[in-house]
Amino acid sequence: MKSIHMAGPWITDHEISIVEDAMRNGWYENRYDYVEKFQKEFAAYHDRKYGIMTPNCTTAIHLLLTALGISEGDEVILPECTWIATGAGISYLRATPVFCDIDSENWCLDHHSVEKLITSKTKAVIAVDLYGNMPNYDELVELCTHHKITLIEDAAEAVGSIYKGTRAGKFGVGSVFSFHSTKTITTGEGGMLLLDDEQLFERCMFLRDHGRKGAMYYNYEVTYKYMPFNIQAALGYAQFQRIDALVGLKRNQLKMYRERLIEVEDIYLNPEPDGGVNGAWITALIFGRSHKLNKDDAIKKLAEMDIPSRPFFYPLSSLPAYPNAKSKYESINQIAYDISSRGINLPGSAILKENQVDRICNGIKKIIGVNC
Ligand SMILES: Cc1ncc(COP(=O)(O)O)c(C=O)c1O
């Protein structure tokens, strides 16, 4: 029986030939040619003016927060359930991460919770398009505009998602994507920052490369070195040319899981929003309370059947990385704590086969006592 992989990319001869071209020809005056092409086309696809590729998405977030002037004493609101990278840049800058609750339907940040947490120190909100789901951006944009708070979109997991006709990546002053090897489009490690404002773009470009502009070896500030590598960009560019196929594969996985589990009562998969599209980077499953099953038990029982799965993101405030946060947030972010405790991620590698989805779904039915 072939083992099932949690995550992994779909690399074809197309990617190999483009990367080979970068290896052979992407040097000298061409040393950033794929970086430039990828940035430009990825930005245009998302209806943004500027794209800035970075070594990963974590650095893209850090770059944007730095360019926005976030610093010690400022507060930035982000959802409890996300990968720690969403908030890492806030801490790098010695600002304060403030964790808000999530919405029980889409599992993304809940704008009502955001509103309650706004103080005079709040400078930004980072919304996360979790697993390809998207939050209620109509309300969120209105809230941030009303309070003059900068909105940032962490679309690391949402390539291919669309909210009411607008692609993930078009919300807020800037958005970020991840091309980590587990992502729908991959460069192994890689990220992209998308912007519309020219001044912010200039500032981010300056911060990305040691605070220099114009004259050779002449630096105005000590900043970062967050430059991408052309071969990494060539892989991203080639994957991006196959975006419809790659997103289609992920969406088909969600569909296969849904078809097989539709009859099972009280379990929930990524919602497909009205008038929108879920890029379905990961299919996540929440066990309803009636099953009395927490994520650790579910993962263990599935593993006994050689079925891999992963935990739904832990509430950030519950992690040792944020000492003392749990006592402050657990009582106010109850939905995040509850949903996270009952959620798992299902396998979603590009080589996942239909008969493996059968096996996974039969395993899920078995652990909750449904006959299959
Ligand atoms: C929501 C979210 N934000 C940010 C990141 C960071 O991406 P990277 O690993 O490219 O730094 C990830 C990556 O998994 C993510 O899922």
Side-chain angles (χ1 to χ4, degrees), residues 101-142:
D101 209 355
I102 62 170
D103 180 287
S104 58
E105 301 285 314
N106 59 39
W107 318 328
C108 298
L109 94 183
D110 174 11
H111 60 275
H112 298 107
S113 172
V114 173
E115 188 164 19
K116 287 187 202 142
L117 293 166
I118 292 173
T119 70
S120 58
K121 295 179 181 167
T122 309
K123 289 287 157 28
V125 172
I126 308 181
V128 179
D129 304 329
L130 197 80
Y131 305 137
N133 304 354
M134 294 179 77
N136 185 337
Y137 275 113
D138 286 345
E139 300 286 349
L140 191 61
V141 169
E142 199 180 309

Side-chain angles (χ1 to χ4, degrees), residues 36-49:
E36 275 154 23
K37 275 202 275 198
F38 186 30
Q39 293 176 156
K40 194 164 165 228
E41 293 187 28
F42 195 81
Y45 180 85
H46 292 93
D47 191 24
R48 289 281 197 184
K49 286 201 182 120

Side-chain angles (χ1 to χ4, degrees), residues 56-58 61 82-83 85-86 128 154 156-157 178-180 183 190:
N56 52 57
C57 175
T58 307
I61 300 170
T82 179
W83 177 228
T86 304
V128 179
D154 181 345
E157 306 178 356
S178 170
F179 308 123
H180 182 254
K183 294 295 191 289

Side-chain angles (χ1 to χ4, degrees), residues 198-224 227:
E198 189 179 349
Q199 267 186 329
L200 198 53
F201 166 70
E202 296 293 349
R203 180 76 184 147
C204 288
M205 291 294 274
F206 172 82
L207 291 170
R208 188 177 68 161
D209 195 9
H210 283 312
R212 60 175 161 163
K213 56 182 173 208
M216 189 57 98
Y217 303 136
Y218 204 81
N219 311 83
Y220 292 83
E221 287 174 41
V222 179
T223 69
Y224 318 115
M227 293 300 287

Side-chain angles (χ1 to χ4, degrees), residues 177-251:
F177 288 85
S178 170
F179 308 123
H180 182 254
S181 59
T182 55
K183 294 295 191 289
T184 306
I185 287 183
T186 189
T187 59
E189 291 282 355
M192 187 78 83
L193 169 60
L194 300 184
L195 301 163
D196 286 319
D197 181 83
E198 189 179 349
Q199 267 186 329
L200 198 53
F201 166 70
E202 296 293 349
R203 180 76 184 147
C204 288
M205 291 294 274
F206 172 82
L207 291 170
R208 188 177 68 161
D209 195 9
H210 283 312
R212 60 175 161 163
K213 56 182 173 208
M216 189 57 98
Y217 303 136
Y218 204 81
N219 311 83
Y220 292 83
E221 287 174 41
V222 179
T223 69
Y224 318 115
K225 177 71 189 289
Y226 284 170
M227 293 300 287
F229 179 34
N230 203 42
I231 291 174
Q232 184 188 27
L235 179 52
Y237 181 71
Q239 287 255 283
F240 176 57
Q241 289 181 321
R242 295 179 50 241
I243 187 166
D244 290 343
L246 293 169
V247 173
L249 176 116
K250 290 292 182 173
R251 286 182 47 72

